[in-house]
Amino acid sequence: MKNYKLHTFAAMAALFCLTLVTASSCSSDEDMPWIPDSVISLNMMNESNGNTKLGDSNVYINNADNFTSSSSSAVIASLGMSGSYTAAPLLTQLAKEVAVTPGEFYQVFNDRDIKMFASGKRALSVNADYYNLYVADWINDSNGKHIGAKVSYNVEATEHVTLPEWNEVVITLTHGIGNNSSWVEPEESLYTFPSGCEVNVDYNGWEDYLMVEVEGNVVTARFSNNRPRQSGQAYLYVREGGFYSRVIIDIRFVTYA
């Protein structure tokens, strides 16, 4: 009778331990961050030990253990431990040089893809790519000196469904001359962007010949009285949240007999 109780107790204890191990394993799996198949691992050696670049960017690790860019074409955001491989762009704190810290995420952007709007807010171009970067650990030499870092990164493409395509023609103004007379068509043209958008105008040299009015998300364009006998383009930069697009006011000059 005693042996039976002992065996029963042992079996129950083993089952309890197995349950704890299973629960612990499940919890660990659930806590693991999701890693997309597109993530690439890289040993980034610093500038004195190979000077490994991040993907197609100019970003490398200098001898001061900082991410930086040789051509100053890149800007970097530190996301800390709260980032991810699929994080949306964070443009509030950007720097040319950022300390490398194992266990933290970063974002790397091409400086030319970011525009500061008149409101003081930054936005990322709708046709831009950027990097979500994670630093796993240091790479040390035999003396324990840092000579690089083990990193992994994911290249993210911006996706925006409400803004117009980059360089899309949204307004066309035509003017012509012939038989000692001139004409314009139409007299004025309107375009409406999504509600809440910020619109900045780049006349691109047409300041003296074109009038562009922005009221909220509605843009009106018309010729002034003086018009050069030539074609050209003016631009509208439109921001929605953290993204922006550049669209075209197309100016066409035609002649007729």
Side-chain angles (χ1 to χ4, degrees):
M1 185 70 174
K2 290 181 180 180
N3 287 341
Y4 174 77
K5 288 184 177 180
L6 288 174
H7 287 312
T8 302
F9 178 78
M12 291 178 66
L15 180 61
F16 178 72
C17 290
L18 179 61
T19 302
L20 286 177
V21 170
T22 303
S24 176
S25 299
C26 291
S27 177
S28 298
D29 290 342
E30 290 173 356
D31 292 340
M32 287 290 290
W34 176 65
I35 302 178
D37 294 337
S38 54
V39 168
I40 298 172
S41 297
L42 177 67
N43 287 339
M44 282 189 74
M45 310 306 294
N46 69 15
E47 62 179 321
S48 294
N49 293 275
N51 198 22
T52 311
K53 299 297 194 299
L54 174 67
D56 293 330
S57 75
N58 290 316
V59 171
Y60 65 96
I61 300 174
N62 63 19
N63 290 331
D65 293 338
N66 296 328
F67 287 121
T68 188
S69 172
S70 57
S71 64
S72 298
S73 62
V75 286
I76 306 162
S78 178
L79 305 186
M81 298 174 63
S82 60
S84 73
Y85 291 110
T86 56
L90 183 65
L91 306 176
T92 53
Q93 298 291 331
L94 299 176
K96 294 291 186 180
E97 188 168 323
V98 176
V100 178
T101 304
E104 295 191 358
F105 278 91
Y106 301 81
Q107 288 181 331
V108 176
F109 306 94
N110 193 317
D111 197 19
R112 69 186 179 192
D113 292 328
I114 296 174
K115 180 175 175 61
M116 179 74 77
F117 277 72
S119 62
K121 295 182 179 179
R122 294 188 183 99
L124 184 66
S125 167
V126 293
N127 62 352
D129 293 335
Y130 65 98
Y131 294 84
N132 277 314
L133 169 69
Y134 176 72
V135 179
D137 203 356
W138 291 112
I139 300 173
N140 299 323
D141 63 12
S142 57
N143 297 317
K145 182 181 179 181
H146 298 161
I147 58 174
K150 297 178 180 179
V151 308
S152 51
Y153 65 90
N154 189 39
V155 180
E156 287 283 290
T158 55
E159 294 183 5
H160 206 284
V161 296
T162 57
L163 286 174
E165 295 290 332
W166 187 266
N167 278 349
E168 180 179 338
V169 176
V170 296
I171 292 176
T172 300
L173 295 174
T174 304
H175 63 126
I177 191 169
N179 294 330
N180 298 318
S181 64
S182 63
W183 53 274
V184 297
E185 183 183 277
E187 291 293 330
E188 66 178 24
S189 184
L190 282 76
Y191 189 86
T192 302
F193 291 102
S195 179
C197 283
E198 178 183 2
V199 182
N200 290 179
V201 181
D202 176 5
Y203 281 94
N204 193 32
W206 284 83
E207 294 89 342
D208 296 332
Y209 316 109
L210 195 64
M211 298 176 61
V212 180
E213 297 175 355
V214 179
E215 293 187 6
N217 59 325
V218 179
V219 175
T220 304
R222 65 176 66 88
F223 286 114
S224 62
N225 290 329
N226 300 316
R227 299 188 307 276
R229 297 182 180 183
Q230 63 188 56
S231 299
Q233 293 179 337
Y235 302 109
L236 301 173
Y237 289 91
V238 52
R239 179 186 66 83
E240 186 176 37
F243 298 95
Y244 81 96
S245 186
R246 185 184 78 174
V247 296
I248 294 173
I249 299 176
D250 192 29
I251 303 162
R252 299 179 182 177
F253 175 69
V254 298
T255 59
Y256 60 94

